[in-house]
């Protein structure tokens, strides 16, 4: 039986990790490769790197980061942020990423999902989906893009189903309402989506304490949970979270 | 010298990174002569069965790979590369290399089980061969929609060297003679995956 996955997300700008990073110990907290090595040693199941580099001329730095991560950790990792074409995907995959995540670009140009799935297979194509509670939508949640600033008018479930039909192999559901609150994941949206699509759903946004992770597996319907600041801050380790999962009776990778 | 078959598989970079990390001597190649001259061959694999077989055919690699295996030289297929060792795949009804007498099927898409299978799954194994020193029921990383049934209605197949479950039992690893296949990605399965690769590297030529 497949185990539930714990995924750590790192935001990278101009080759340096940013946002809420206060890692303790002798790890260079600005270096995404050193952080990846530390989390790999701690036993995390997977990593995600989001490139939040603003300027186009600095985008090449991310490829160097991806190459260095791929030489250092021997677990799967996904790269997202700023991927707008098959050529962007190809550069990231050749550098050694296992998966590519598309978000705003996929809403603007859904063919990028089909093209990516056709070239690399569905297991490599991850749809990142930011949602906000919206009573006007059939599911109660609408899709937003550009970091939550733009409403797309798309219903969460309608867009998710279209993305799966186009070949997305996994969906990362990020709740804008829960993100940054540290009050726990948006369980209702996670359950709705998990019940609606045939592909794995990764819950994202809102985790603050280890107990939030078993909660999203039991009350939401996720195959994986993504965390960031709760580990970057040094407050919790991978072991703390996996212990909370095991205590709740959730199958977790130990060895 | 290990030859890694270059047929455009998505995980070639990852396999190469793991081999470098382990200090293995290897060469990436799509030339029949280079493959035949190698002591061992790794067939990586992320992609689609028919495209992979068409590529091998276009490079005239199918017969050399069969000869390599028949000569009793160590061969390791990973993920799609593992599927290619079998006889036939349901993925676009594709005839495979036929080195091991099994078939590849699509996972049933049930309520409780997501397809593709993506994630870490514990594997029951013999503890021998490539699994030497690998803990029992240790987890490996899988990413697949198609699987190899490890048994028929009566018997386990003798070549099912590792077994796992995802709605149905499936062969997590296959082995016949010196031919090995891993449905999972050893290059992405942490220290236990690296151990398995090291066991392959250290097999006697």
């Amino acid at each position: 039986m497949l185990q539930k996955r714990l995924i750590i997300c790192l935001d990278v700008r101009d080759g340096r990790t940013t946002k809420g990073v206060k890692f303790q110990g002798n790890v260079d907290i600005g270096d995404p490769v050193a952080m990846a090595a530390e989390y790999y040693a701690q036993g995390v199941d997977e990593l995600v790197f989001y490139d939040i580099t603003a300027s186009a001329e600095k985008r090449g730095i991310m490829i160097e980061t991806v190459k260095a991560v791929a030489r250092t950790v021997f677990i799967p990792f996904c790269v997202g942020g700023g991927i707008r074409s098959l050529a962007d995907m190809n550069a990231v995959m050749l550098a050694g990423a296992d998966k590519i995540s598309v978000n705003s670009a996929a809403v603007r140009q859904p063919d990028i999902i089909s093209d990516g799935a056709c070239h690399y297979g569905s297991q490599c194509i991850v749809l990142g989906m930011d949602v906000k509670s919206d009573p006007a939508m059939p599911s109660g949640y609408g899709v937003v893009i550009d970091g939550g600033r733009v409403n797309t008018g798309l219903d969460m479930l309608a867009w998710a189903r279209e993305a799966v039909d186009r070949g997305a192999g996994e969906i990362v559901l990020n709740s804008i309402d829960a993100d940054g609150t540290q009050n726990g994941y948006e369980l209702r949206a996670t359950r709705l989506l998990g019940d609606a699509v045939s592909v794995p759903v990764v819950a994202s946004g809102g985790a603050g304490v280890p107990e939030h992770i078993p909660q999203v597996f039991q009350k939401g319907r996720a195959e994986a949970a993504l965390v960031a600041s709760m580990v970057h801050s040094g407050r919790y380790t991978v072991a703390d979270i996996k212990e909370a999962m095991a205590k709740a009776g959730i199958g977790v990778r130990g060895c | 010298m290990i030859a890694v078959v270059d047929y455009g598989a998505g995980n070639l970079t990852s396999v190469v990174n793991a081999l470098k990390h382990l200090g293995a001597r290897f060469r990436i190649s799509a030339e029949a002569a280079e493959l035949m001259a190698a002591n061992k061959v790794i067939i990586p694999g992320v992609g689609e069965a028919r495209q992979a077989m068409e590529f091998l055919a276009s490079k005239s690699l199918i017969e050399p790979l069969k000869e390599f295996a028949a000569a009793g030289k160590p061969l390791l297929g990973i993920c799609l590369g593992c599927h290619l060792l079998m006889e036939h795949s349901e993925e676009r009804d594709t005839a495979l290399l036929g080195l091991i007498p099994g078939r590849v099927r699509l996972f049933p898409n049930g309520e409780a089980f997501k397809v593709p299978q993506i994630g870490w799954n514990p594997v029951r194994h013999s503890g021998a061969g490539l699994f030497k020193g690998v803990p029992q029921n240790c987890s490996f990383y899988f990413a697949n929609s198609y699987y190899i049934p490890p048994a028929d209605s009566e018997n386990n197949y003798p070549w099912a060297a590792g077994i796992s479950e995802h709605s149905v039992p499936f062969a997590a690893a296959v082995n016949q003679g010196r031919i090995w296949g891993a449905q999972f990605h050893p290059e992405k399965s942490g220290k236990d995956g690296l151990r398995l690769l090291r066991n392959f590297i250290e097999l006697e030529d």
Side-chain angles (χ1 to χ4, degrees):
Chain A
M1 277 278 287
L2 221 46
Q3 292 156 325
K4 300 294 184 185
R5 281 173 285 154
L6 177 67
I7 304 175
I8 294 178
C9 174
L10 294 101
D11 286 344
V12 182
R13 175 183 289 147
D14 304 341
R16 303 288 288 173
T17 39
T18 64
K19 205 168 95 175
V21 175
K22 294 193 199 89
F23 211 91
Q24 307 288 317
N26 55 2
V27 176
D28 175 359
I29 57 164
D31 178 3
V33 184
M35 290 180 73
E38 169 64 20
Y39 292 133
Y40 171 59
Q42 285 187 16
V44 75
D45 299 317
E46 199 167 319
L47 294 165
V48 179
F49 298 85
Y50 281 121
D51 185 7
I52 55 171
T53 301
S55 63
E57 63 269 24
K58 287 185 174 170
R59 288 220 174 263
I61 299 172
M62 189 62 175
I63 295 300
E64 293 310 311
T65 301
V66 173
K67 283 183 183 165
V69 169
R71 286 193 296 261
T72 311
V73 306
F74 299 97
I75 51 171
F77 72 95
C78 176
V79 174
I83 289 167
R84 294 189 182 84
S85 65
L86 209 51
D88 293 340
M89 288 185 172
N90 200 33
V92 168
M93 289 297 284
L94 273 181
D98 302 284
K99 307 178 190 184
I100 312 145
S101 166
V102 286
N103 189 324
S104 306
V107 169
R108 294 200 176 91
Q109 185 198 329
D111 283 348
I112 195 171
I113 300 173
S114 342
D115 292 348
C118 191
H119 272 75
Y120 302 105
S122 288
Q123 75 286 342
C124 294
I125 307 299
V126 179
L127 175 74
M129 186 167 70
D130 292 337
V131 303
K132 243 183 198 167
S133 173
D134 182 350
M137 289 291 164
S139 71
Y141 298 91
V143 177
V144 294
I145 54 171
D146 297 337
R149 293 188 301 273
V150 178
N151 277 318
T152 63
L154 292 167
D155 178 69
M156 168 180 84
L157 295 185
W159 172 229
R161 288 193 180 109
E162 183 185 340
V164 172
D165 284 346
R166 286 178 173 274
E170 218 170 0
I171 299 179
V172 177
L173 174 68
N174 184 50
S175 162
I176 295 288
D177 303 315
D179 197 14
T181 64
Q182 312 223 335
N183 288 330
Y185 296 96
E186 216 316 353
L187 300 175
R188 194 172 155 270
T190 311
R191 170 155 283 282
L192 270 178
L193 182 63
D195 285 341
V197 295
S198 59
V199 302
V201 170
V202 181
S204 163
V209 294
E211 289 66 33
H212 287 150
I213 287 86
Q215 205 174 51
V216 79
F217 293 129
Q218 289 170 326
K219 296 185 178 161
R221 179 146 180 237
E223 300 302 311
L226 191 142
V227 300
S229 57
M230 65 180 286
V231 288
H232 299 329
S233 65
R235 272 182 290 130
Y236 301 102
T237 62
V238 169
D240 294 334
I241 298 170
K242 289 206 166 180
E243 198 184 305
M245 289 168 71
K247 213 179 269 177
I250 291 174
V252 56
R253 178 172 76 103
C255 68
Chain B
M1 175 72 73
I2 298 171
V4 183
V5 183
D6 180 9
Y7 67 101
N11 68 335
L12 181 67
T13 310
S14 305
V15 171
V16 162
N17 279 330
L19 292 176
K20 280 184 187 160
H21 179 79
L22 294 167
R25 287 178 62 236
F26 67 93
R27 153 182 292 171
I28 303 163
S29 177
E31 297 303 321
E34 288 183 345
L35 297 188
M36 291 306 284
N39 305 106
K40 294 170 186 163
V41 163
I42 294 179
I43 310 176
V46 164
E48 199 253 343
R50 178 171 289 260
Q51 258 185 20
M53 286 305 294
E54 283 171 357
F55 183 89
L56 293 181
S58 75
K59 291 279 182 181
S60 304
L61 290 178
I62 291 178
E63 285 312 314
L65 283 170
K66 287 181 180 175
E67 281 172 35
F68 189 91
K73 293 189 190 175
L75 176 65
L76 171 63
I78 296 174
C79 196
L80 175 62
C82 172
H83 290 177
L84 298 182
L85 307 175
M86 312 311 285
E87 287 177 318
H88 178 270
S89 176
E90 277 185 2
E91 191 171 21
R92 291 173 65 200
D93 189 20
T94 303
L96 306 171
L97 293 172
L99 305 178
I100 293 180
R103 298 175 78 81
V104 183
R105 305 186 58 184
L106 179 64
F107 271 127
N109 197 348
E111 263 291 292
F113 293 91
K114 303 286 187 176
V115 178
Q117 159 180 233
I118 296 181
W120 299 77
N121 207 334
V123 173
R124 298 193 303 279
H125 58 77
S126 64
L130 298 199
F131 286 105
K132 201 175 125 197
V134 174
Q136 195 53 248
N137 286 316
C138 156
S139 302
F140 291 92
Y141 183 77
F142 293 85
N144 58 307
S145 297
Y146 290 81
Y147 75 104
I148 301 168
D152 57 26
S153 54
E154 284 159 18
N155 296 305
N156 279 346
Y157 298 130
W159 43 258
I163 294 179
S164 198
E165 275 94 33
H166 184 65
S167 79
V168 291
F170 68 89
V174 298
N175 169 231
Q176 186 169 285
R178 307 192 84 193
I179 305 167
W180 286 86
Q183 175 67 75
F184 50 83
H185 288 279
E187 75 282 10
K188 285 287 163 179
S189 295
K191 65 174 167 55
D192 297 307
L194 292 177
R195 172 73 202 232
L196 189 135
L197 281 177
R198 184 153 61 85
N199 286 341
F200 181 74
I201 294 164
E202 289 175 357
L203 281 182
E204 277 181 44
D205 292 340

